[in-house]
Amino acid sequence: MFSDLTAERCAFITQSLKTSIRHFGLALNPAAPLAAVVKDIEWMASFSAGPMSIGGAKDVDISRMVRALPRVEQAERIAIMLERVRGVPGADVVVLCLKENIDRLSTLHERAQDLLFELEVGGRLAASGFPVSFAEPDIRLDFPTVSIGLPCKRPRSARRIVVSVREAVAQIQRAKLSVGVVVVSIEPIVHPPAPTGGLSGKKPAPKNWVASTVEEADTGARTMVREAVEPLLPKINGLFAKHSELAGVLFCGAFTALLNLPRAYAYRWLNFSVSSPRDTRLTELLGAFVQSNGAKALRKRSFHLASEAGAHPRPPVR
């Protein structure tokens, strides 16, 4: 697992995080989960060798290293996100969520993680050159001739998806926008609470995917999303018929898995778009831009998590 993770890469991630934290003027409590993440990765960076190599962190405290390794993925995602939202109107308020519990290894049910999802989606679109601002209904894309609202929802289970979409339509209406796409996170759906075998030692913690290959894990997560969403399509289509401002629903988000071939901790971003019959392209196009901007910002200057892990864009789920 993390066979090619180097001390240099750990140092780069922590430095990027610290730079962005200073940029936004965030004063993190030392007990805050993000501060703990930075501390663990900084510790792995303090050795001359990579965490899994001779002379690296594993030779000093293997238990701490095993706990710290899965945090690299979320730390890098946050570092990329913070770079992208610098200068985006409204970001300075939303980033305050980083003071709260955003550690996805312990839970996916925190309000702060809802805001983190907004930041990640907005950051990905900003990286593609979209005119992003963090304003009602959560994210706005203000073009010269039209403004598009992107309310972001993180239903804690598949049962809450339709309710969340209805709430999001109300947000679009309150913002007095004529066009909106609801962005729904699939992360709590593919990582539901697991009494055992979770992403951390706490119980229940989010489900920990274990697979032989990244393809096996990818197929399993995509199947789980399809099985959750497809029975809801009649109700979603009913909302399209009732609300002309609803252009589509974009299901997207991250999932992670422990792999055996090769030994790695893999990351994937999944897209699944459902479009209104009145506008069959907008949601799919937005999804494609969100998908294409994975970890390119840092990837050019760092190392892969492992040979099959994180940041390789995949086509949207069909």
Side-chain angles (χ1 to χ4, degrees):
M1 185 166 70
F2 293 112
S3 57
D4 66 346
L5 180 63
T6 64
E8 291 83 1
R9 182 183 175 189
C10 292
F12 181 82
I13 293 169
T14 55
Q15 184 56 46
S16 177
L17 279 170
K18 286 182 172 182
T19 299
S20 292
I21 288 169
R22 285 195 299 270
H23 171 84
F24 285 105
L26 291 173
L28 292 182
N29 185 315
L34 182 58
V37 168
V38 172
K39 186 176 180 181
D40 274 347
I41 300 175
E42 200 167 35
W43 171 74
M44 292 194 295
S46 67
F47 301 92
S48 57
M52 289 291 291
S53 303
I54 296 173
K58 76 175 181 67
D59 287 347
V60 176
D61 189 339
I62 192 168
S63 295
R64 183 178 181 183
M65 185 213 66
V66 169
R67 290 194 304 271
L69 280 176
R71 291 178 151 182
V72 173
E73 175 272 328
Q74 63 177 328
E76 187 167 52
R77 280 171 58 196
I78 293 170
I80 294 166
M81 174 202 74
L82 289 175
E83 281 193 359
R84 289 173 169 171
V85 300
R86 291 184 196 179
V88 174
D92 56 332
V93 174
V94 187
V95 298
L96 294 176
C97 70
L98 296 175
K99 294 184 175 183
E100 308 300 328
N101 185 9
I102 47 80
D103 183 10
R104 67 183 295 274
L105 300 183
S106 62
T107 179
L108 287 172
H109 288 192
E110 292 287 339
R111 165 61 180 158
Q113 293 168 325
D114 298 347
L115 299 174
L116 197 65
F117 179 60
E118 293 175 20
L119 286 169
E120 183 155 26
V121 172
R124 284 168 173 254
L125 291 171
S128 292
F130 282 85
V132 174
S133 64
F134 292 101
E136 288 300 326
D138 284 328
I139 297 170
R140 286 176 66 110
L141 306 178
D142 290 306
F143 297 97
T145 58
V146 67
S147 293
I148 301 172
L150 305 178
C152 298
K153 294 296 182 182
R154 290 180 67 256
R156 305 315 192 240
S157 70
R159 294 190 301 273
R160 291 283 303 173
I161 289 175
V162 174
V163 172
S164 295
V165 174
R166 287 198 188 101
E167 292 171 349
V169 171
Q171 287 180 254
I172 296 168
Q173 294 169 338
R174 287 196 300 270
K176 296 181 168 53
L177 297 175
S178 59
V179 184
V181 173
V182 180
V183 186
V184 178
S185 172
I186 56 92
E187 192 170 6
I189 296 169
V190 297
H191 288 289
T196 60
L199 291 172
S200 77
K202 297 181 180 179
K203 299 179 182 180
K207 172 186 172 71
N208 186 23
W209 283 79
V210 179
S212 296
T213 64
V214 70
E215 290 79 15
E216 178 186 317
D218 192 89
T219 298
R222 288 167 186 269
T223 299
M224 195 170 185
V225 174
R226 286 195 188 95
E227 289 177 349
V229 173
E230 285 180 351
L232 306 176
L233 291 179
K235 290 184 178 180
I236 292 174
N237 286 329
L239 292 174
F240 289 144
K242 185 176 180 180
H243 302 288
S244 61
E245 61 270 44
L246 180 59
V249 181
L250 174 61
F251 296 90
C252 62
F255 89 95
T256 54
L258 290 169
L259 305 180
N260 295 321
L261 297 172
R263 294 290 290 172
Y265 186 74
Y267 156 83
R268 283 288 182 266
W269 181 273
L270 302 182
N271 274 4
F272 181 177
S273 60
V274 181
S275 297
S276 164
R278 291 181 298 273
D279 192 336
T280 59
R281 291 289 291 161
L282 175 59
T283 308
E284 183 177 346
L285 285 171
L286 287 175
F289 279 108
V290 170
Q291 175 83 14
S292 66
N293 276 291
K296 285 192 264 185
L298 287 184
R299 188 176 61 196
K300 294 177 180 177
R301 295 173 286 165
S302 62
F303 300 87
H304 293 300
L305 217 56
S307 57
E308 296 269 359
H312 298 294
R314 301 278 292 192
V317 176
R318 298 297 183 188

